[in-house]
Amino acid sequence: MARINDHYLKLKAGYLFPEIARRVNAFAQAHPEAKLIKLGIGDVTEPLPAAVIEAMHKAIDEMAKRDTFRGYGPEQGHAFLREKIVGHDYHAHGCEIAADEVFVSDGSKCDTANILDVLGPGNVVAVVDPVYPVYVDTNVMAGHTGPANDRGEYTGLVYLPATAENGFSPELPSQKVDVIYLCYPNNPTGAVATKETLAKWVGYAKANDALILFDAAYEAFITDTVIPHSIYEIDGARDVAIEFRSFSKNAGFTGTRCAFTVVPRSVAGTDAQGNRVDVHRLWSRRQTTKFNGVSYVVQRGAEAVYSDAGQQQVRELVEFYMANAKIIRETLTSLGYEIYGGVNGPYIWLKTPGAMTSWAFFDKLLADAHVVGTPGSGFGAAGEGYFRISAFNSRANVQEAMLRIREKMGAERL
Ligand code: MLT
């Protein structure tokens, strides 16, 4: 019999979102009359921007003719898209990133997981707690951790608690770590990092020869003008940080799939002999071996995000979801809930009332209001006693969900 990867056996039951889906399906089967509203997984609901649709139709027409048909593209992404990305997302913000440092991919989730292919065993890995579960689970799968304790924390990982007390901005590690995952605007807490905060992390990484894996999938939702959109806005970050970006949430590509990862040529690690090795070269080697690139049609769609019309339409989409976030924040605040986030990011992080656990709140919200959210404890031990509500849904559903919560779930009544 084939030998399996034992590290998978250390993983807790199911990945968070399928586990929620399983519980929701069971509820729906038992209560077929319930009209469920899903504010759980951060999945977009609004159609693709018109500029994207138009570009994709045009690209499909090209694929229909022998003269303009395309087969394999460059594994790293087409130059037309990589150039738009660096121009708009980096050069316009004073960040020095070259087009060949951008790798177009089918998602930030995949890339934050796949990056472990080029990092060896034995790294001390730090994650913020609560955390996007992919960073933790993929380290478990790769054998970088021991088993989980009863709080669900894996031995070998360094957890940096992000709590209401520290404003959901964790302290620097007290020990030397080699790899640090940061996500800003943060999933799940909605917290953002100022330039000073990011400079502190870059300083730590430089002083400790650490690598920062910076997930900026929600940067488009930043409304506060002083908050940086990219870690490369910080001096020296090009030497110590890899950045992950996505078209999923800003341009509605969750089902279309397009993202990119920036690996500056100046980022390095060491081999077993302690020699400096360029990570860009390894990532390029990995992508060209294991990935055949994002489809031409989708990359043309992503390119259209950077057209004048595309930029305007994406801004409108982001504003639409942030108006939902405002409705959620204001309703829950008026009902006596302690609320965080939802200002520079699409997630609202609420403290569960009294001593209610995250899953108890999940069950009550589902049973009483037929609304689905995400239990904070699913993001890590420090998320216990919190709950995440996503602003990604139609206006009508968000309004209806808030109406039901107002009727059935006022914090003072729980
Ligand atoms: C979330 O809800 O945390 C995200 O949708 C997950 C993802 O983007 O993979």
Side-chain angles (χ1 to χ4, degrees):
M1 250 194 262
R3 186 77 162 71
I4 54 96
N5 177 351
D6 289 322
H7 301 302
Y8 276 63
L9 305 180
K10 295 179 211 159
L11 291 165
K12 286 172 283 156
Y15 181 60
L16 177 61
F17 295 106
E19 173 61 18
I20 290 172
R22 195 185 60 73
R23 291 186 186 218
V24 170
N25 289 340
F27 181 86
Q29 270 183 6
H31 305 274
E33 74 298 342
K35 199 175 156 292
L36 296 178
I37 298 178
K38 296 186 181 169
L39 303 177
I41 190 165
D43 193 5
V44 293
T45 53
E46 303 311 298
L48 291 169
V52 170
I53 295 289
E54 196 186 317
M56 289 173 76
H57 276 298
K58 193 160 158 260
I60 285 278
D61 287 341
E62 287 178 53
M63 296 297 268
K65 294 185 214 99
R66 177 178 297 277
D67 287 353
T68 47
F69 173 79
R70 312 268 187 139
Y72 292 125
E75 294 89 344
Q76 300 87 341
H78 283 285
F80 61 75
L81 177 56
R82 298 167 94 194
E83 274 153 22
K84 287 278 166 28
I85 289 170
V86 291
H88 283 79
D89 290 333
Y90 295 106
H91 299 169
H93 296 275
C95 307
E96 224 188 285
I97 297 293
D100 67 0
E101 294 175 322
V102 172
F103 293 81
V104 176
S105 77
D106 60 346
S108 287
K109 174 179 173 177
C110 326
D111 281 359
T112 57
N114 292 335
I115 196 73
L116 293 181
D117 273 11
V118 301
L119 300 176
N123 284 316
V124 178
V125 175
V127 293
V128 174
D129 181 12
V131 61
Y132 179 44
V134 173
Y135 314 152
V136 170
D137 286 6
T138 54
N139 272 284
V140 176
M141 291 169 174
H144 296 168
T145 75
N149 63 19
D150 29 327
R151 281 164 54 86
E153 295 160 328
Y154 292 92
T155 52
L157 284 185
V158 174
Y159 289 89
L160 307 171
T163 60
E165 289 70 42
N166 62 25
F168 300 101
S169 178
E171 301 295 321
L172 294 175
S174 51
Q175 67 196 101
K176 179 175 162 19
V177 305
D178 306 303
V179 177
I180 306 157
Y181 289 83
L182 294 178
C183 173
Y184 287 111
N186 186 257
N187 178 12
T189 65
V192 280
T194 60
K195 275 204 167 141
E196 295 68 36
T197 302
L198 289 187
K200 200 178 70 172
W201 284 105
V202 169
Y204 175 91
K206 289 217 153 198
N208 291 278
D209 271 338
L211 172 65
I212 296 175
L213 300 176
F214 190 77
D215 185 347
Y218 298 95
E219 61 75 31
F221 296 84
I222 294 173
T223 50
D224 193 334
T225 50
V226 301
I227 300 296
H229 286 241
S230 164
I231 194 160
Y232 303 123
E233 291 179 46
I234 310 303
D235 281 346
R238 294 193 31 97
D239 301 333
V240 293
I242 291 175
E243 181 164 287
F244 304 91
R245 291 260 194 127
S246 172
F247 295 98
S248 282
K249 312 292 160 102
N250 61 344
F253 273 55
T254 54
T256 307
R257 312 305 308 150
C258 197
F260 60 92
T261 290
V262 179
V263 186
R265 288 189 181 275
S266 37
V267 167
T270 56
D271 67 12
Q273 286 71 44
N275 301 310
R276 187 187 155 88
V277 180
D278 174 8
V279 175
H280 181 280
R281 178 163 60 84
L282 302 190
W283 182 246
S284 188
R285 185 70 171 84
R286 190 250 172 230
Q287 291 299 81
T288 50
T289 305
K290 293 195 176 184
F291 186 55
N292 262 334
V294 174
S295 81
Y296 173 70
V297 174
V298 168
Q299 290 192 62
R300 279 294 184 201
E303 180 194 23
V305 164
Y306 296 104
S307 66
D308 289 346
Q311 290 283 283
Q312 174 62 24
Q313 290 157 9
V314 163
R315 245 192 319 273
E316 283 164 14
L317 268 181
V318 166
E319 280 166 11
F320 173 83
Y321 292 121
M322 290 312 286
N324 283 348
K326 185 165 187 278
I327 293 170
I328 298 169
R329 269 194 300 116
E330 288 177 354
T331 308
L332 296 177
T333 304
S334 75
L335 292 174
Y337 285 95
E338 196 178 316
I339 297 296
Y340 303 93
V343 177
N344 289 296
Y347 296 122
I348 289 86
W349 188 239
L350 70 85
K351 178 88 195 72
T352 56
M356 229 176 171
T357 65
S358 303
W359 276 109
F361 189 82
F362 173 90
D363 289 337
K364 188 153 178 60
L365 189 66
L366 182 58
D368 292 2
H370 301 167
V371 172
V372 180
T374 310
S377 54
F379 297 101
E384 181 56 277
Y386 287 90
F387 197 80
R388 195 191 78 176
I389 298 196
S390 151
F392 292 112
N393 213 313
S394 66
R395 185 61 43 77
N397 275 349
V398 165
Q399 280 166 339
E400 170 67 19
M402 291 305 110
L403 205 64
R404 293 186 197 168
I405 292 176
R406 187 176 286 287
E407 276 170 13
K408 312 261 180 162
M409 297 275 293
E412 71 289 346
R413 278 190 260 150
L414 301 179

